Amino acid sequence: MKVILLADVKALGKKGDVVEVSEGYARNMLLKKKLGKEATGANLNDLKLQNQNAEKIAQENYEAAVEFAKELEEWKIETTIKTGKDGRSFGSVSTKEIVEAAKKQYGKDLDKKKIILEDPIRGLGLYEVKIKLHPKVTATLKVHVAEA
């Protein structure tokens, strides 16, 4: 019997997969616990439409991320850090401070979890910070650190 899975089932498949199982397993386990539904023509057509809709939404999200990445490439975030004698800094610039500066200067929210800092920003100058907007899209943001 063919069944469309409505949830991930260990050792069988992921949500949305069409799998072939015995009738007893389908009726007593999958259908009874609402983990799957019978793969009739109407149900297969619904699954096909859902997959097309999901692909369309994923493509729109990708295109939006590419557009935002182009916008981020032009940004230059200005932030400050306290320094002592000899230009030595106290502390570092965190992702939280970068997000707050971006919101203040450009009025856009960035997710601090998506900002990738290989090393903490501990000095003055211009830095390039990577932001992962989408699994396939990474933008580079310029951060200028000045003396407070």
Side-chain angles (χ1 to χ4, degrees), residues 132-145:
K132 190 161 182 110
L133 299 172
H134 186 271
K136 298 178 184 175
V137 180
T138 303
T140 303
L141 177 67
K142 293 177 190 78
V143 178
H144 181 260
V145 181

Side-chain angles (χ1 to χ4, degrees), residues 89-147:
S89 63
F90 299 114
S92 63
V93 177
S94 66
T95 56
K96 183 179 177 183
E97 292 168 330
I98 294 171
V99 169
E100 289 171 358
K103 182 158 178 81
K104 187 184 288 184
Q105 293 170 20
Y106 293 97
K108 298 263 182 148
D109 284 324
L110 299 175
D111 188 0
K112 72 176 186 175
K113 294 175 188 165
K114 295 185 178 188
I115 296 175
I116 303 166
L117 284 176
E118 282 102 28
D119 296 319
I121 299 174
R122 292 197 168 136
L124 304 176
L126 187 65
Y127 294 89
E128 290 188 350
V129 177
K130 294 186 187 291
I131 300 178
K132 190 161 182 110
L133 299 172
H134 186 271
K136 298 178 184 175
V137 180
T138 303
T140 303
L141 177 67
K142 293 177 190 78
V143 178
H144 181 260
V145 181
E147 191 173 340

Side-chain angles (χ1 to χ4, degrees), residues 28-143:
N28 296 324
M29 172 69 177
L30 298 177
L31 299 177
K32 191 173 188 180
K33 293 187 176 183
K34 303 211 186 290
L35 296 174
K37 61 183 174 182
E38 195 172 344
T40 62
N43 289 342
L44 287 172
N45 193 31
D46 288 345
L47 177 67
K48 180 180 167 187
L49 292 174
Q50 287 174 355
N51 288 341
Q52 287 175 347
N53 189 32
E55 288 174 15
K56 180 182 174 190
I57 290 171
Q59 182 65 27
E60 288 173 356
N61 288 341
Y62 172 74
E63 290 170 0
V66 169
E67 288 297 317
F68 191 52
K70 288 179 185 175
E71 185 179 335
L72 283 178
E73 299 286 335
E74 299 170 5
W75 286 14
K76 186 175 178 184
I77 303 293
E78 301 284 338
T79 187
T80 59
I81 190 170
K82 289 184 180 179
T83 56
K85 294 180 182 176
D86 305 329
R88 299 188 75 188
S89 63
F90 299 114
S92 63
V93 177
S94 66
T95 56
K96 183 179 177 183
E97 292 168 330
I98 294 171
V99 169
E100 289 171 358
K103 182 158 178 81
K104 187 184 288 184
Q105 293 170 20
Y106 293 97
K108 298 263 182 148
D109 284 324
L110 299 175
D111 188 0
K112 72 176 186 175
K113 294 175 188 165
K114 295 185 178 188
I115 296 175
I116 303 166
L117 284 176
E118 282 102 28
D119 296 319
I121 299 174
R122 292 197 168 136
L124 304 176
L126 187 65
Y127 294 89
E128 290 188 350
V129 177
K130 294 186 187 291
I131 300 178
K132 190 161 182 110
L133 299 172
H134 186 271
K136 298 178 184 175
V137 180
T138 303
T140 303
L141 177 67
K142 293 177 190 78
V143 178

